[in-house]
Amino acid sequence: MQGVVMYGPGDVRVEKRADPRIESPTDAVVRLAATSVCGSDLWPYRGVESAAWPVPMGHEYCGVVEAVGAAVTSIRPGDFVVGSFFASDGTCEICQEGYHSGCVHREPACPGGAQAELLRVPLADGTLVATPGAPDEDLIPSLLAASDVLGTGWFAAVAGAAGPGKTVAVVGDGAVGLLGVLAAKHLGAERIIAMSRHTDRQQLAIEFGATDIVADRGEDGAARILELTGGYGAHSVLECVGTAEAMRQAVRSTRRGGHLGFVGVPHSVTFDGLEMFFSHIHLHGGPAPVRAYLPDLIQRIYTRQINPGLVFDLRLPLSHAAEAYRAMDERKAVKALLMP
Amino acid sequence: MQGVVMYGPGDVRVEKRADPRIESPTDAVVRLAATSVCGSDLWPYRGVESAAWPVPMGHEYCGVVEAVGAAVTSIRPGDFVVGSFFASDGTCEICQEGYHSGCVHREPACPGGAQAELLRVPLADGTLVATPGAPDEDLIPSLLAASDVLGTGWFAAVAGAAGPGKTVAVVGDGAVGLLGVLAAKHLGAERIIAMSRHTDRQQLAIEFGATDIVADRGEDGAARILELTGGYGAHSVLECVGTAEAMRQAVRSTRRGGHLGFVGVPHSVTFDGLEMFFSHIHLHGGPAPVRAYLPDLIQRIYTRQINPGLVFDLRLPLSHAAEAYRAMDERKAVKALLMP
C-alpha cells in the first residue's frame, strides 16, 4: 500500500509500505475512506518536536473494516467505522468513566500511520465505532473530522464547561478552535468569542456559531475579552493552540471561578501555582476522549445537525501529501483531507 | 484593646492597640467571641514568607456585632456573626456565581488583625452572616472554624468533586486537611483516605470520617494511593498543604479524569503543562469562597450534624498568643483557639 512517512522536518514522502495485517486478536484492519493532516503533525514538520525518523504519519481516519481479529465482537468486516487516535480497552474504570484517552491500556491507535490506504487499529472493540450503515459520500469529511479535530474541539468545550448562559472565548483559529466554536454553540453557549485575525477563518467561525470576533492576541487579546465581558472575563475559555503565549492569554481571559479547557498539546507550558490559586480557574484538558463522544457525534452528523467537514478547505489525493503539509504549514489551508 | 502583632519571624507579641471604628458606611465592628491561629500564619512565623513588619495578625473570627455603618442592612448590633477572611461585595457576578473570595472588590476582611478583642470588617453585608440567635457556648469553636478552616476544607472537597461513590485522598493532616475529611464525609464520599503520620491526627481523621490512613509521603504516598485504588488513583484528591512536594504527591495520586482540589496557598509550586495534559486531571483551587458556604455550614453546626470545633486541641487566653504560635509551629497542637 501507499503511506506517508516523514523523514525529518519539512520532508514528507509518500511511499510503498507493507500492508498492515491482524497482529493481535483484538486488532482490526481498516481500508481508509479518507484521512487528514492534523495541526499536531506540524510540530515535527516544523522541527519543534523531534522524532525517531523516519516516522509513518497520521492519526485521523475513517473507512471500511477489512478484517478483524478473533476476539473482536462489536464490529465486522464491511462496517464503516470511525475511531479515536488513542486505542482504549473500553472496559477499565477510566474508560467506564468516559476518559477513554486516559485508558490504563491506552496506546496510539495508528501505530502504522493513518495517512495511508490501510490501517491496523489495536483494541478495535474499545476504539472503533460503526456508523449506522454506509454513509453518504458528502458525510465522509465530517466523519473524518469526528475522529480527532471535532472530538477535540468538543472536549475543549466540555472541559471548559461551555453551556447555556455562558460566554465562551476560543483561543486558536485552527480546525480544533473552529470546531470548539461549533461545539460551544451546540452545547448551548449564549455568546461565543472567536479569536482570529484571518478573514477566512473568521467567516467559518461565524458560520459555526461565533457571535464575536477578536483579532487581538496575547495580553491585548485577554484585555479585549475582559472589556467585552464587563471586566469579569469569559465563563469558559477554550485553549486550542498549545503554546505558552496562547495559554497565558487563555488563563487571563477566564473569569474567577470560570473554566479553562485546554486541548492544544502543551509545548513549554507551565502554570504558576500562585496564579492558578488566585485566579480561581477550573483547569482541565488533555488528549480528548474522542471515543466517548463518537456515538453522539456520529448521530449529529448523520442527522445533519452539524457539518464539521467544512474545516477541510483543501482536498488532495494521498500521493500529494507533501503539498497538503506545505499548505497547512504556510496557513494557506485550515485543514487538508487526503484521499487514499 | 489588646491585639496580636508579629514583629518578625518567631516574634509574636500581644499589645495595646487602638480600638477599631467604623471607617466606611459598609463597615461593621465586631467584638470577638473567639479567634485562632491559622496554618498560613505560620508561613511568616517561620520566615518562609516575608511581610512589612510589624503586622497585626489573624483572619479567623466570630463574635457579636458592636456597630455597623449607615449602609449596612443585613446585620445589626447584637447579632452573633461569622465572616470570611476575604471581604466581598456580595453583588458582583463573581459573588453571584458563588465565588465570593474572587469578588471583584475583594479585600482582606481583617485589615486590623482578628487576633484581637475587636475587629473592623469591611463590606459587612457581603462578608458576614448572622447566626440564628446567640449560639450555645459549646458551638463557638465550630462557628469559629467555619470562618476559615472548615470553609477551606469544604471548598477543597467541593473543588475535588468529592461525593457519593467517590474515593477521596486528603494530602495534609493540619486542621484544613482534617476538615477536608469531614467535608468529604458529609458530601457523601464512599472512601476517604487520610494521609498522616501523627497518631493524634489519624484519630481525629477517623472521627471525622476517614476510612483509611496512609502514613507514606511523596512518591511513596502516591504509590500507596494507587495501590489502594486498583492502580487507578483516587477520584478526588484534596491538597491542603501548599508545598511543591505535597502538590506533586496530590497530582500523582489523582486518577485520569479525576479531580484535584487545592487550598494550601502554593509556595514555589508550578504545574507542568504536559504532565497536566496527559494526567487528565481537573484542577481547581484558590482561597475558599467561605461566604458562599456559611449559611449551610452554620445550619449544620446549629443542628449538630458536624463538630468541626474538635480541631482546636489547645485553648488559651489571647494574651498567651505567643505560646499558641509556638505549639502549632512545633506541631504540638493541631490548632489553637484564642479567647479575647
Side-chain angles (χ1 to χ4, degrees):
Chain A
M1 67 159 190
Q2 294 291 308
V4 174
V5 178
M6 195 183 287
Y7 277 80
D11 185 1
V12 168
R13 305 181 201 171
V14 182
E15 58 184 29
K16 188 163 174 54
R17 310 190 58 223
D19 284 1
R21 293 173 309 108
I22 300 294
E23 294 177 16
S24 148
T26 52
D27 285 350
V29 170
V30 179
R31 180 164 296 276
L32 300 182
T35 180
S36 44
V37 181
C38 179
S40 68
D41 295 334
L42 297 180
W43 294 108
Y45 185 83
R46 290 171 173 161
V48 179
E49 233 176 59
S50 70
W53 316 110
V55 185
M57 297 298 295
H59 55 263
E60 304 179 310
Y61 60 98
C62 62
V64 177
V65 176
E66 211 158 82
V68 296
V72 174
T73 60
S74 65
I75 57 161
R76 292 178 305 188
D79 284 350
F80 192 96
V81 292
V82 187
S84 162
F85 49 91
F86 261 126
S88 48
D89 63 22
T91 57
C92 77
E93 285 190 22
I94 308 299
C95 284
Q96 294 297 311
E97 288 160 6
Y99 277 85
H100 296 74
S101 48
C103 172
V104 290
H105 294 119
R106 74 177 169 197
E107 59 178 300
C110 310
Q115 290 161 9
E117 292 175 281
L118 291 163
L119 175 68
R120 178 178 71 86
V121 179
L123 301 173
D125 276 329
T127 308
L128 300 172
V129 177
T131 60
D136 292 341
E137 191 65 23
D138 69 322
L139 293 184
I140 287 179
S142 288
L143 293 168
L144 174 62
S147 81
D148 182 355
V149 274
L150 171 60
T152 295
W154 204 272
F155 177 52
V158 170
K166 299 288 185 71
T167 293
V168 180
V170 182
V171 179
D173 64 359
V176 170
L178 292 167
L179 291 171
V181 168
L182 176 147
K185 171 73 180 172
H186 285 267
L187 289 167
E190 185 172 302
R191 188 177 184 192
I192 303 168
I193 307 170
M195 309 194 79
S196 171
R197 46 180 58 180
H198 299 88
T199 319
D200 53 336
R201 294 167 190 239
Q202 292 173 351
Q203 287 305 328
L204 198 47
I206 288 167
E207 186 161 350
F208 282 152
T211 55
D212 300 73
I213 300 287
V214 165
D216 307 285
R217 277 193 195 172
E219 290 298 327
D220 292 343
R224 184 76 185 118
I225 296 294
L226 260 60
E227 206 176 290
L228 287 170
T229 54
Y232 293 114
H235 298 99
S236 172
V237 176
L238 283 47
E239 197 284 335
C240 306
V241 182
T243 61
E245 190 201 1
M247 191 62 87
R248 201 159 38 237
Q249 178 180 333
V251 166
R252 295 179 184 173
S253 300
T254 312
R255 70 171 54 198
R256 293 177 185 167
H259 290 73
L260 168 51
F262 70 106
V263 295
V265 182
H267 285 73
S268 308
V269 170
T270 55
F271 300 97
D272 177 65
L274 215 53
E275 179 171 13
M276 295 311 295
F277 187 80
F278 283 106
S279 69
H280 265 136
I281 291 175
H282 294 77
L283 180 71
H284 183 44
V290 172
R291 174 62 185 78
Y293 304 140
L294 278 176
D296 175 48
L297 297 179
I298 290 170
Q299 161 79 6
R300 289 176 192 259
I301 290 165
Y302 263 66
T303 54
R304 296 179 186 274
Q305 292 170 55
I306 57 175
N307 189 5
L310 287 174
V311 292
F312 295 105
D313 54 354
L314 179 64
R315 295 190 195 196
L316 292 169
L318 180 66
S319 56
H320 288 51
E323 197 180 326
Y325 274 79
R326 203 158 41 238
M328 283 178 62
D329 177 43
E330 295 169 359
R331 295 180 73 89
K332 289 183 180 154
V334 174
K335 193 165 177 73
L337 181 148
L338 297 171
M339 293 167 292
Chain B
M1 67 161 189
Q2 294 292 306
V4 175
V5 178
M6 195 183 286
Y7 276 79
D11 185 0
V12 168
R13 307 181 202 170
V14 181
E15 58 185 29
K16 187 163 173 57
R17 309 191 58 221
D19 283 2
R21 295 175 306 110
I22 300 294
E23 294 176 16
S24 150
T26 51
D27 285 350
V29 170
V30 180
R31 180 165 294 278
L32 301 182
T35 179
S36 44
V37 181
C38 179
S40 68
D41 294 334
L42 297 180
W43 293 109
Y45 185 83
R46 289 170 173 161
V48 179
E49 237 177 55
S50 69
W53 316 111
V55 185
M57 297 299 295
H59 55 264
E60 304 178 311
Y61 60 99
C62 62
V64 177
V65 176
E66 215 160 77
V68 296
V72 174
T73 61
S74 65
I75 57 163
R76 293 179 303 190
D79 283 349
F80 192 95
V81 293
V82 187
S84 164
F85 50 92
F86 261 127
S88 48
D89 63 22
T91 57
C92 77
E93 286 191 23
I94 308 297
C95 284
Q96 294 298 310
E97 288 160 6
Y99 277 87
H100 296 74
S101 49
C103 172
V104 290
H105 295 120
R106 75 177 169 196
E107 59 177 300
C110 309
Q115 290 161 11
E117 292 175 282
L118 291 163
L119 175 69
R120 178 179 71 85
V121 179
L123 301 173
D125 276 329
T127 307
L128 300 172
V129 177
T131 59
D136 291 341
E137 192 64 25
D138 69 323
L139 293 184
I140 287 180
S142 288
L143 292 167
L144 174 63
S147 81
D148 182 354
V149 275
L150 171 60
T152 296
W154 204 271
F155 177 52
V158 170
K166 299 288 186 68
T167 293
V168 179
V170 181
V171 178
D173 63 359
V176 171
L178 293 168
L179 291 171
V181 168
L182 177 147
K185 171 73 178 173
H186 285 266
L187 289 167
E190 186 173 304
R191 189 177 184 191
I192 302 168
I193 308 169
M195 308 191 81
S196 170
R197 46 180 59 183
H198 298 88
T199 318
D200 53 337
R201 294 168 191 238
Q202 292 173 352
Q203 287 305 327
L204 197 47
I206 288 167
E207 186 161 349
F208 282 154
T211 55
D212 301 74
I213 299 287
V214 165
D216 308 285
R217 276 193 196 175
E219 290 298 327
D220 291 345
R224 184 79 185 116
I225 297 293
L226 260 60
E227 207 175 289
L228 288 171
T229 54
Y232 293 113
H235 297 100
S236 173
V237 177
L238 284 46
E239 197 284 333
C240 307
V241 182
T243 62
E245 191 201 359
M247 190 63 86
R248 202 161 36 239
Q249 176 180 332
V251 167
R252 294 180 185 172
S253 299
T254 314
R255 68 172 55 198
R256 292 176 185 169
H259 290 72
L260 168 51
F262 69 106
V263 294
V265 183
H267 285 73
S268 306
V269 169
T270 54
F271 299 97
D272 177 66
L274 214 54
E275 179 171 14
M276 295 311 296
F277 188 82
F278 283 107
S279 69
H280 265 137
I281 291 174
H282 295 75
L283 180 71
H284 183 42
V290 171
R291 174 61 185 79
Y293 304 139
L294 278 177
D296 175 48
L297 297 180
I298 290 171
Q299 160 78 6
R300 290 176 191 258
I301 290 166
Y302 262 65
T303 54
R304 297 178 186 272
Q305 291 169 57
I306 57 175
N307 188 4
L310 288 175
V311 293
F312 295 106
D313 53 354
L314 178 65
R315 296 189 194 199
L316 292 168
L318 180 67
S319 56
H320 288 52
E323 195 180 328
Y325 274 80
R326 204 159 40 239
M328 283 179 63
D329 177 43
E330 294 169 358
R331 296 180 73 88
K332 288 182 181 154
V334 174
K335 194 165 176 73
L337 182 147
L338 297 173
M339 292 167 293

